[in-house]
Amino acid sequence: MLLTITTSTFPATDLGFLLHKNPARAQSFDLSFGKAHVFYPEAAEQRCTAALLLEIDPIGLVRGKPGSGEGHSLDQYVNDRPYVASSFLSVAIAQIFGSALAGRSKERPELASKPLKLEATLSVIPCRGGEAFLRSLFEPLGYRVSVEPHSLDPTFPEWGDSVYFTLHLQGTRMLQELLSHLYVLVPVLDNSKHYWVGEDEVEKLLRHGEGWLAGHPEKDAIARRYLKHRRDLCRDALSRLVDDDLEELESTRENQARQEAGLEEKIRLHDHRMGAVVAVLREVGAKSVMDLGCGEGRLLRDLLADKTFERVLGMDVSHRALEFASDKLKLERMPDIQKARLQLIQGSLTYRDKRLEGFDAAALIEVVEHLDPGRLDAFERVLFEHAKPRFVVLTTPNSDYNVKFETLPAGQFRHKDHRFEWSRVDFRAWAERVASRAGYQVRILPVGPEDAVVGAPTQMAVFSR
Ligand code: SAH
């Protein structure tokens, strides 16, 4: 079984730093199911190819395993496992290219988040769903796909095609993305997994599917096949993906945003919020700031306008929102010095993400109420325990104030996608609990015109450590 990965982004030999494998050396690794070899058939600055060759020992696989003494079925000895891409390849990717799969490069950290011109070839992949299924898995991820079917036996063409294909992918992606796609989709294509599928497979699927699986049109089939048709696990995985799945929301989000904006317009609440957040970020002296759930990038624009913010990162789970942001900020035409200060990334606040580490401050403007209550705990850990910026500025609606919006029926939220809205008491209790658990101090401040009884329309918490 052979996988080759080629880049033609100059200097192509950087691939060696990303894979943590020296292009000048061939290396071999012992794995539980056989041997893996890594070598570079070509390594020039224009074009560099890394090859991962797996030698699977089908007899070693069954020897000594419970049940292997019984029956001696022939397919233990004669099977396709040594020749095709299967879940063994995923295991090999995780073990041999683990840092690259996690999006890290020890020697050249900036490389890991750089999109490269990549090509991948899988010499043989079984796919019972045929070419159409193969394409439906990889094309939505932005690859140019070419597929070569193999006949069952070239000497007997009348027998027709086999279930085996050679697959070639081409696209401009981060290496980490390509490896994650292969890690999840190769076992899906093979539709049989060599090891027992348990709860931790759900975690693996969600971890390696992060940022792309939730929006994939075939996500149901992918989860079902990846989890070997275990219905309970599949339901769990899909319900946890929904949280990231903004497809439905996307079609209506502009409408809803207008509805919320209309409601809040009279008091120009959005301007109040941006002003208040920028003022806090200046006051605490933050130089690097991330705007998490940046939406269309209104805060990013204000941050870029102020040179004290040297490094600005915008993250959102929604591709559409990021496209809007990049349009509105005129990213294409932005001068290089300005562009160098800004990074826009797709990601979800409910999964740990290394890219969020090392910032002075994080802003989350009207985002927390979009998270599923069941995922708040994960979000708290991602932000306050892993990303751990020195300051967090977070705003959310004050539900006590909703009675002041004449057109909002009692008990309804300001926006259809809000999963909850906190009263002042609820918000304070949440903020204080999170702060004390994670070792932060917290202040709560009103934003917008304050009413003597119901308070201000927006509430803001400033966490510091
Ligand atoms: N902060 C922006 C947008 C607020 S709307 C502003 O004030 O204008 C909420 C945003 O949170 C949306 O863009 C939505 O896509 C994003 N979002 C929702 N769930 C998210 C998650 N799990 N991770 C990251 N962003 C998320």
Side-chain angles (χ1 to χ4, degrees), residues 325-354:
S326 139
D327 278 357
K328 287 210 167 159
L329 295 166
K330 304 195 173 61
L331 204 64
E332 295 281 302
R333 277 172 286 148
M334 201 181 263
D336 285 347
I337 341 173
Q338 193 83 327
K339 215 188 276 178
R341 290 164 63 208
L342 175 69
Q343 210 189 340
L344 281 182
I345 62 171
Q346 193 197 16
S348 170
L349 278 165
T350 53
Y351 296 102
R352 183 174 179 180
D353 192 331
K354 290 261 181 230

Side-chain angles (χ1 to χ4, degrees), residues 148-437:
E148 190 191 328
H150 295 289
S151 57
L152 211 49
D153 188 330
T155 46
F156 300 98
E158 64 278 15
W159 290 357
D161 280 342
S162 69
V163 296
Y164 301 107
F165 298 86
T166 297
L167 173 67
H168 185 72
L169 304 172
Q170 243 182 319
T172 301
R173 309 294 309 228
M174 291 186 277
L175 179 65
Q176 182 252 338
E177 294 175 303
L178 171 67
L179 292 175
S180 307
H181 297 154
L182 295 175
Y183 180 94
V184 171
L185 296 178
V186 164
V188 162
L189 282 164
D190 182 34
N191 207 15
S192 79
K193 264 181 138 203
H194 66 271
Y195 46 83
W196 173 243
V197 172
E199 309 282 326
D200 62 337
E201 290 302 307
V202 174
E203 299 305 324
K204 282 188 203 156
L205 176 65
L206 294 176
R207 184 150 35 100
H208 296 294
E210 191 178 331
W212 61 272
L213 185 54
H216 197 295
E218 292 294 337
K219 66 169 180 291
D220 290 25
I222 293 171
R224 210 168 46 239
R225 285 170 161 235
Y226 187 90
L227 298 168
K228 263 203 117 173
H229 305 274
R230 284 268 312 266
R231 279 228 199 109
D232 52 334
L233 295 182
C234 191
R235 243 193 325 267
D236 176 24
L238 288 170
S239 73
R240 288 170 59 184
L241 276 176
V242 167
D243 161 35
D244 284 356
D245 185 1
L246 294 176
E247 253 181 305
E248 220 182 300
L249 168 70
E250 302 246 333
S251 57
T252 49
R253 75 188 294 277
E254 283 114 291
N255 239 339
Q256 293 170 356
R258 242 178 273 128
Q259 168 202 335
E260 187 180 15
L263 209 56
E264 296 181 339
E265 189 173 38
K266 279 200 209 101
I267 45 179
R268 302 200 60 77
L269 196 49
H270 210 271
D271 296 344
H272 278 291
R273 274 195 296 256
M274 294 298 161
V277 171
V278 174
V280 171
L281 293 171
R282 274 198 202 116
E283 180 193 302
V284 301
K287 300 242 179 299
S288 54
V289 178
M290 47 189 172
D291 181 11
L292 304 175
C294 62
E296 295 165 20
R298 278 188 267 190
L299 178 67
L300 298 175
R301 188 193 54 200
D302 292 354
L303 294 174
L304 287 174
D306 182 335
K307 289 205 187 61
T308 57
F309 302 113
E310 293 165 5
R311 189 171 151 226
V312 176
L313 174 134
M315 180 179 98
D316 205 285
V317 75
S318 154
H319 246 304
R320 279 277 294 281
L322 290 169
E323 274 168 24
F324 270 120
S326 139
D327 278 357
K328 287 210 167 159
L329 295 166
K330 304 195 173 61
L331 204 64
E332 295 281 302
R333 277 172 286 148
M334 201 181 263
D336 285 347
I337 341 173
Q338 193 83 327
K339 215 188 276 178
R341 290 164 63 208
L342 175 69
Q343 210 189 340
L344 281 182
I345 62 171
Q346 193 197 16
S348 170
L349 278 165
T350 53
Y351 296 102
R352 183 174 179 180
D353 192 331
K354 290 261 181 230
R355 297 172 298 179
L356 306 184
E357 289 169 19
F359 282 82
D360 295 336
L364 296 98
I365 306 186
E366 310 293 288
V367 174
V368 68
E369 66 278 5
H370 290 262
L371 304 178
D372 217 38
R375 303 292 290 149
L376 273 182
D377 192 56
F379 154 69
E380 291 161 22
R381 271 182 283 124
V382 167
L383 181 60
F384 294 96
E385 287 173 28
H386 296 302
K388 269 199 345 218
R390 287 200 42 223
F391 302 95
V392 175
V393 189
L394 181 150
T395 75
T396 192
N398 160 22
S399 69
D400 296 330
Y401 192 91
N402 286 356
V403 292
K404 303 273 284 179
F405 294 120
E406 284 156 16
T407 54
L408 186 69
Q412 205 163 311
F413 297 146
R414 294 184 201 179
H415 186 301
K416 282 214 188 65
D417 189 53
H418 287 179
R419 308 298 162 95
F420 56 85
E421 285 179 354
W422 278 322
S423 67
R424 284 165 296 172
V425 170
D426 294 339
F427 183 52
R428 180 174 291 280
W430 174 81
E432 285 177 353
R433 183 179 54 73
V434 168
S436 80
R437 195 169 73 173

